[in-house]
Each structure stands twice: as C-alpha cells, then as structure tokens.
Amino acid sequence: MRLSARWSWWAQKHGIPLKDVVQGGQMRSAQIPKYRHPENPSLTWSGRGRQPA
C-alpha cells in the first residue's frame, strides 16, 4: 500500500478530512540535504525545520 493510500485510509477511519492530516493539502516529499556536518558527513540538514544543534 502506498503512503498516500495509508494516509487516506487513516483519515477516513478517524473521520478527519485528508487535507487536515496532510500539511497544506498536499503531501510533502523528502527534501534533499543541503548541509552536511564537516566532521561527520552522515549528519545532514535540508534547511527546513529546526536547525540541528
């Protein structure tokens, strides 16, 4: 089952409009990391949300 179908099913089950479950009325895709930690390149940040400490 695709992710969008799961959210749709979950919203129907709980009686919540799908647009209230999904931010902005549409699903957001994963963002490509823009920033990497200089000492540990596996730590990344897309520039969205809270900046890592």
Side-chain angles (χ1 to χ4, degrees):
M1 185 183 286
R2 289 182 32 176
L3 182 60
S4 59
R6 288 183 194 168
W7 280 113
S8 178
W9 171 83
W10 186 89
Q12 281 183 337
K13 178 180 174 188
H14 294 284
I16 302 170
L18 185 60
K19 67 179 182 175
D20 291 347
V21 176
V22 182
Q23 186 176 23
Q26 52 185 285
M27 295 209 177
R28 298 179 82 178
S29 62
Q31 295 296 309
I32 298 171
K34 294 181 182 178
Y35 307 99
R36 293 192 185 280
H37 191 281
E39 296 171 10
N40 186 353
S42 67
L43 299 175
T44 61
W45 182 49
S46 67
R48 299 178 109 180
R50 189 172 155 205
Q51 186 174 7

